[in-house]
Amino acid sequence: NAGVTQTPKFRILKIGQSMTLQCTQDMNHNYMYWYRQDPGMGLKLIYYSVGAGITDKGEVPNGYNVSRSTTEDFPLRLELAAPSQTSVYFCASILGQTSSTGELFFGEGSRLTVL
Amino acid sequence: KQEVTQIPAALSVPEGENLVLNCSFTDSAIYNLQWFRQDPGKGLTSLLLIQSSQREQTSGRLNASLDKSSGRSTLYIAASQPGDSATYLCAVKNQGGKLIFGQGTELSVKP
């Protein structure tokens, strides 16, 4: 059972380039989340999804896009990368609202630098 | 719009001291609240989860309380140890599944 897997772990982008951060979970979780964490700060919600085919904006969605075509995958797309998107990105998942525990499972993070 | 605030931003205590970390939220219509621990350069580890119908949860030396009406939660750490040094974050989940984090409290326990 791999849990939540994020790739890549590290990436350097040039301004204006695009890329996709991959997130996959094998726990059949319905809810998935993308966060960014800047140095010394908490986590800011970018986008979230409560099930396949459903996505919603979080606190800081500008400059990002997501899709949820399957339960397992929740990729985060950065279009026209900017230095302000330099951050550590975390993907997370929860089984759902009816879960008895509601425990949030996190990926290990993806460190992105935009130069 | 839900806003989650944690005070203080940083805390330094001597080993053995009991301490309280605070988390406040603006919208009391929450589904649950969770406390996490994050070590430097690492991901997050779940510590305690409190459902909206509960008042508190305990795990070992940790006790988390929830007062929905006042929009507050506290994390009580008993007999602190240097190994407790980390950043502690709270997160609030609403009925629609949106999960918002506070900015964290950086705890340092001095031997």
Side-chain angles (χ1 to χ4, degrees), chain B residues 16-67:
Chain B
E17 193 162 296
N18 302 326
L19 60 100
V20 174
L21 306 180
N22 298 292
C23 173
S24 62
F25 46 95
T26 55
D27 185 352
S28 61
I30 67 170
Y31 186 77
N32 63 36
L33 183 145
Q34 298 188 58
W35 283 93
F36 295 85
R37 168 185 173 136
Q38 185 177 30
D39 293 295
K42 303 290 185 183
L44 280 74
T45 301
S46 179
L47 296 174
L48 289 165
L49 168 71
I50 309 177
Q51 302 291 355
S52 62
S53 58
Q54 297 175 323
R55 295 284 291 181
E56 66 177 341
Q57 282 286 342
T58 298
S59 176
R61 293 182 295 108
L62 305 180
N63 176 277
S65 69
L66 174 63
D67 184 344

Side-chain angles (χ1 to χ4, degrees), chain A residues 1-7 9 23-29 91 93 105-108:
Chain A
N1 190 341
V4 179
T5 303
Q6 287 182 237
T7 56
K9 288 186 168 49
C23 178
T24 299
Q25 52 87 12
D26 61 358
M27 298 171 283
N28 203 31
H29 283 179
C91 180
S93 72
F105 291 80
F106 276 89
E108 294 184 349

Side-chain angles (χ1 to χ4, degrees), chain A:
Chain A
N1 190 341
V4 179
T5 303
Q6 287 182 237
T7 56
K9 288 186 168 49
F10 302 93
R11 183 73 186 269
I12 298 175
L13 281 181
K14 294 182 179 178
I15 295 173
Q17 285 186 321
S18 300
M19 75 159 297
T20 299
L21 296 176
Q22 301 291 345
C23 178
T24 299
Q25 52 87 12
D26 61 358
M27 298 171 283
N28 203 31
H29 283 179
N30 293 315
Y31 289 55
M32 296 187 74
Y33 303 84
W34 272 108
Y35 293 91
R36 59 175 288 173
Q37 185 175 34
D38 299 318
M41 304 293 289
L43 278 70
K44 290 294 187 182
L45 179 63
I46 305 172
Y47 272 94
Y48 67 107
S49 169
V50 300
I54 306 170
T55 61
D56 280 294
K57 293 179 180 179
E59 301 170 278
V60 290
N62 292 344
Y64 306 95
N65 279 300
V66 293
S67 61
R68 186 90 183 274
S69 56
T70 66
T71 298
E72 294 78 19
D73 301 308
F74 191 41
L76 177 71
R77 177 91 178 151
L78 281 73
E79 304 283 0
L80 299 175
S84 61
Q85 293 178 304
T86 294
S87 190
V88 178
Y89 292 83
F90 288 100
C91 180
S93 72
I94 304 177
L95 179 58
Q97 295 287 56
T98 57
S99 167
S100 60
T101 62
E103 182 180 354
L104 191 63
F105 291 80
F106 276 89
E108 294 184 349
S110 299
R111 185 176 296 275
L112 176 67
T113 301
V114 182
L115 300 174

